[in-house]
Amino acid sequence: PLLAKRPTDRSLYTQEALKQFLPVLVHAGYLRRESRRGSFAAYDVYQRSTRGAAVALGRADVRLPPPEFVRRLEADRAAAAAEKQRELEDAGVNLAGVPADELAAGAGPTLAAELDWVRRLKAWRAGGQAARAAKYEALLDRVLAWRGRAAAELEVSPAVVLPDHLAKNVAYAMPTTADALRGLGVRCGARAAELAKTIDASVAELGLGLAAAVSSGAGPRIALPAAGSTKRWTLAVDKPSKKPKAWEVSHQRFAAGESCAAIAASQASGKAIQPATVVNHLLKAMVHGLSVDCTRLAADGSAARPVPCGAPTEARWRELQDAAAAAGVRPARDETYDVKELGRAMGGAIAEAVGVEWSDRSDAQKAVYGAWNSDRNWWEALVRAGFDPLAGGPSAAKKRRVD
């Protein structure tokens, strides 16, 4: 039957699709149509026929030729899938590494990863960021060179060591620990550690990790809350959603033991994100009252590239508190606040970077802003979760400098 062969095709289960099926079901004798006149307009009423009642009781199936709108829909999808194949071929992608069913459907995680890489580089070049695209391509070349050496030593195909699409996700997410790479499926023993070092060194050599050299201040890092010791922010709102939110999925995977880098490089969609995004997902989960191992999160954040996003130092925390007091920023009481105003109150290089539009910032200014913004995300989340790291525990209102 038509729908049984397409159980996940939601476009066939919409109200508009149902309207398209009704004339076909009437013509085949499964439904009866009766026109009625209402107070303002005529309308149709559909009732099951004897044949339709048998189907409802499970005594028969509905067997119909695909309606014209379904044939048009499938023809359009086939054309779109063929266009995606041409796009990848034009970019030099080896389609042998993409499952045949994904190529035919024009969708799937492997296909999405390949398209995402091609389109990201294209967009950077179109936006005047050709140098950035070239650096990411150079990083991918180094990942593939490592793969080639590992495959030769193991006497296996390079794709067995690391499939092409996953190599591109690795080049974008930049995992710098062996555990993160093993979590992605790199099963090459000590070679995973070698690849982690290669990525970390390459990020620095290629100038991709600009924010790595930007300190959030001298001195020790802030104390971090034990898992489950923070509280839900009073203004945290769970908006209804038919499927889990991205931050909820990240939290589930992190709680199950996956690293931020592994989560970033192996999204269900196939499209890689960067570890900093996953760190922010988990900070949001904490604000929503979920238990988060902040010690492990800070370690993952510190290892993140191209922008490390571990916990801030005590000195930076105090700077943020003072700037918030000066700017009238109250993250625990206000759902939104002026981030630029907070940055200007920080003074120095941060205020200078905040005062320049992103597209006009120098690489050094982007690095300064990126490091500060990471610290601000931690500060905001911990304040909202009721934790005072300088006191080493939940903050009391009378001890808070920023609420």
Side-chain angles (χ1 to χ4, degrees), residues 23-378:
V24 181
L25 291 169
V26 170
H27 181 75
Y30 292 100
L31 296 176
R32 294 195 306 270
R33 180 175 59 197
E34 178 185 347
S35 293
R36 297 181 183 178
R37 183 172 297 278
S39 300
F40 300 99
Y43 59 93
D44 291 335
V45 174
Y46 294 87
Q47 295 179 329
R48 286 185 309 220
S49 64
T50 302
R51 189 176 186 184
V55 173
L57 293 172
R59 297 171 182 170
D61 292 330
V62 176
R63 296 188 177 275
L64 300 172
E68 178 59 28
F69 89 96
V70 173
R71 289 196 289 268
R72 287 198 306 269
L73 178 65
E74 294 189 337
D76 290 344
R77 288 180 175 175
E83 180 59 32
K84 290 177 180 179
Q85 291 185 41
R86 284 192 293 272
E87 183 179 357
L88 292 178
E89 288 174 333
D90 290 345
V93 175
N94 180 11
L95 296 185
V98 182
D101 60 335
E102 292 190 23
L103 289 174
T110 304
L111 182 68
E114 293 286 5
L115 282 170
D116 192 50
W117 178 263
V118 168
R119 290 171 178 175
R120 181 178 286 117
L121 297 182
K122 183 178 179 180
W124 284 341
R125 290 193 167 97
Q129 300 184 69
R132 183 184 185 188
K135 289 176 182 180
Y136 273 82
E137 286 180 319
L139 177 57
L140 175 61
D141 288 342
R142 297 187 184 194
V143 171
L144 294 177
W146 168 88
R147 183 183 73 166
R149 293 192 299 272
E153 292 173 9
L154 296 171
E155 298 183 346
V156 297
S157 166
V160 172
V161 176
L162 190 66
D164 287 349
H165 74 284
L166 190 53
K168 290 163 184 170
N169 283 357
V170 164
Y172 185 66
M174 303 177 190
T176 59
T177 67
D179 285 344
L181 288 166
R182 293 190 187 101
L184 289 170
V186 179
R187 308 294 184 188
C188 298
R191 294 178 181 84
E194 178 189 337
L195 176 57
K197 291 179 181 177
T198 296
I199 293 170
D200 201 16
S202 297
V203 167
E205 291 169 9
L206 295 170
L208 284 167
L210 293 172
V214 180
S215 172
S216 66
R221 300 281 168 178
I222 61 170
L224 295 169
S229 66
T230 54
K231 63 182 182 181
R232 179 188 175 91
W233 183 37
T234 55
L235 297 181
V237 177
D238 292 321
K239 296 180 180 178
S241 176
K242 293 183 179 179
K243 60 181 181 180
K245 302 176 183 67
W247 64 266
E248 292 174 325
V249 174
S250 290
H251 178 264
Q252 291 168 1
R253 295 179 62 180
F254 185 77
E258 292 188 66
S259 70
C260 291
I263 295 169
S266 59
Q267 292 286 291
S269 67
K271 300 178 182 179
I273 58 178
Q274 293 194 317
T277 302
V278 180
V279 171
N280 289 336
H281 285 171
L282 294 163
L283 291 175
K284 185 170 184 176
M286 179 177 65
V287 169
H288 278 72
L290 299 181
S291 177
V292 175
D293 184 341
C294 286
T295 300
R296 186 159 68 91
L297 179 61
D300 277 6
S302 296
R305 301 294 182 269
V307 181
C309 47
T313 62
E314 292 180 358
R316 176 52 61 82
W317 184 274
R318 292 189 178 93
E319 290 172 0
L320 282 161
Q321 285 184 309
D322 292 340
V329 169
R330 305 177 302 176
R333 294 185 181 181
D334 301 328
E335 288 188 74
T336 61
Y337 58 88
D338 192 333
V339 174
K340 288 189 175 181
E341 188 63 30
L342 179 64
R344 283 189 285 269
M346 293 288 295
I350 295 171
E352 181 182 341
V354 167
V356 180
E357 291 299 321
W358 177 262
S359 58
D360 297 327
R361 288 175 192 162
S362 65
D363 287 344
Q365 288 174 326
K366 289 179 179 178
V368 167
Y369 182 85
W372 172 74
N373 198 47
S374 170
D375 291 338
R376 182 190 64 80
N377 289 334
W378 276 89

